[in-house]
Amino acid sequence: MPVQGIRAVTTARNGVGAFILPCKRLDFHYCDWAGSSRGMVAFLKNTLPSFAKANPQIEIRVSPRPHKHPVIKGHYINGREKAVCVRNLEPEQIFQKANLLKEASGEKLKRTKKPVTSINESVRGIWSPYHGDLKSV
Amino acid sequence: MKRLQLQRWSSSVLSPRARTGGRLQQHLYYNLRRQSTVSPAPQAENEPLFEEQSLNSSTHIPQSSHFKYLLPSPPVEAARESAKLAALHARLYLPSRLPLETLARSLVDASADSNPNFNNEALATLGNDLLSHYTSEHLVCTYPRLPLTVIFAAMYAYVGPKSLAAMAKEWGVEMAAVPGGEVDPGLLQFKRVLPGTDVNAGPVTGTERPNEHRKSWRKSMTSRVVYDNEYGDPVGVSGESATPESQNTQGVTAEHANATFVRAVMGAIYLHAGRPAAKRFFEQHFLSRHLNISDLFNFSQPARDLSRLCARENFEPPVAKIISETGRKSRHPVFVVGIFSGQDKLGEGAGASLLEARSRAAVAALKGWYLYSPLNVRVPSSMEEEGAAPWKPVHVDLGEVIV
């Protein structure tokens, strides 16, 4: 056999070609009785229909959670979930939180130290000590 | 080249409801199990037999509130009410001509629903053919000198079951625990294999290869093109015809079900939105994924291959020369060796011994040859676009060296 093939799997580059929104589901939980849910109930009544219409790629679930603070939970493609407590918040603030969950990638927050992260090879190549001018001692 | 009016053609074949006499038939068979998209291939030929066939193939369902629980997969009407399905449709930016019902059907595996009018088997067969066609023409035109083993490996990497299953996961497709009529149609429905089952237990039998019972006989590379599938794996003919029954009893793996779903989506886009949309979907979702083809090579004797290649191409025989070295007597020597054919340097490599450096240099030279890619590549299927420029022949190479 002169040359054999090694089986591999292609890696995704989300946004190169197609872009899949990482947030796949948003759960809105509210309480009908408690005062901390007042903003959430107003948000669900007034803002949520337009929010859902603007983001058709997100599945939206609304369910009561009696005697608890209101919560928004985001479920992501990578299997993780993010929950934000929105007690005593105004509808506009809740909208911002929902937007934050929508735009999140689902990954744990981490500090980026390099300006560019890429899986492509460096165009310039890696520096080699054995090439270039020979150093005489 | 005139484009086929796929939409008109497919609607007349695919959906019995869209026909002119649909309303009457709906009234007659209202308590039958119906599909809005029927598998196109067999019905397209014998059009007059269509009504009897659909009548015979459909099963009587009692009209009760619990009839959902009797169905093996969700009813067609449930597709419009599923939030998951609508979200998946929007997430993939699928064309609006692709109805939710078809997307729901592409989520039903043959192991969940054995009725071919309701599972995704036909769509997946079409999608698999499209995927392998587009991928192979891309690979062969972009890298005309790739050895056949590497083409097989690259095909596996682009449209193999592992990659497709990973894609389905990245599309956010969730799997139902157990298939059934009451399940949300936005979930992937398939029957799972029991834990502890050996999935690839026995050797593949029923291939068309002569003398397949001779295990020790050599299988040539060219015979794999004829007898094996697009990844160079043996494909069992009798095994395939037996799969629907065996799948019903044993179930399929999650990887298999996910891959079938992705293929079915491709087939559904082709049927409902036409060839340009299918090609665009392929380029955006499959071809845009990252694969370093130079990592797929595994040479056993690169120096020998290179000398055979130089002899075939009438180059001067390759000579390895030390370009630089350091620490020859030390514990960590490094040699940089170049392989020269006359005045031309074919490749260069660094290694801890002279032999290692030489073989690395030969590998670099061979990869430089095999990974040649012409500029401005066009694939044959680009001629299907309207107003395409006249076809210019692509580079066709002699192929890999034979040792």
Side-chain angles (χ1 to χ4, degrees), chain B residues 34-116:
Chain B
R34 285 186 315 260
Q35 176 59 278
S36 67
T37 53
V38 189
S39 62
Q43 276 87 16
E45 291 154 12
N46 40 17
E47 189 80 6
L49 295 175
F50 184 71
E51 308 306 336
E52 289 102 312
Q53 274 189 2
S54 66
L55 182 60
N56 294 335
S57 64
S58 47
T59 49
H60 282 269
I61 303 297
Q63 288 286 308
S64 69
S65 60
H66 295 291
F67 85 104
K68 272 183 173 182
Y69 292 94
L70 301 175
L71 293 174
S73 62
V76 180
E77 299 80 37
R80 288 280 156 197
E81 291 154 13
S82 167
K84 259 185 207 310
L85 203 60
L88 179 66
H89 194 281
R91 197 180 303 136
L92 296 181
Y93 299 101
L94 293 179
S96 53
R97 286 201 288 185
L98 174 67
L100 286 174
E101 285 86 356
T102 311
L103 187 61
R105 181 179 166 182
S106 66
L107 279 162
V108 178
D109 193 79
S111 62
D113 193 344
S114 56
N115 191 339

Side-chain angles (χ1 to χ4, degrees), chain B residues 353-374:
Chain B
S353 71
L354 283 170
L355 278 179
E356 186 194 347
R358 190 190 69 172
S359 68
R360 280 181 194 275
V363 164
L366 282 171
K367 280 185 181 171
W369 174 264
Y370 283 138
L371 288 173
Y372 160 73
S373 176

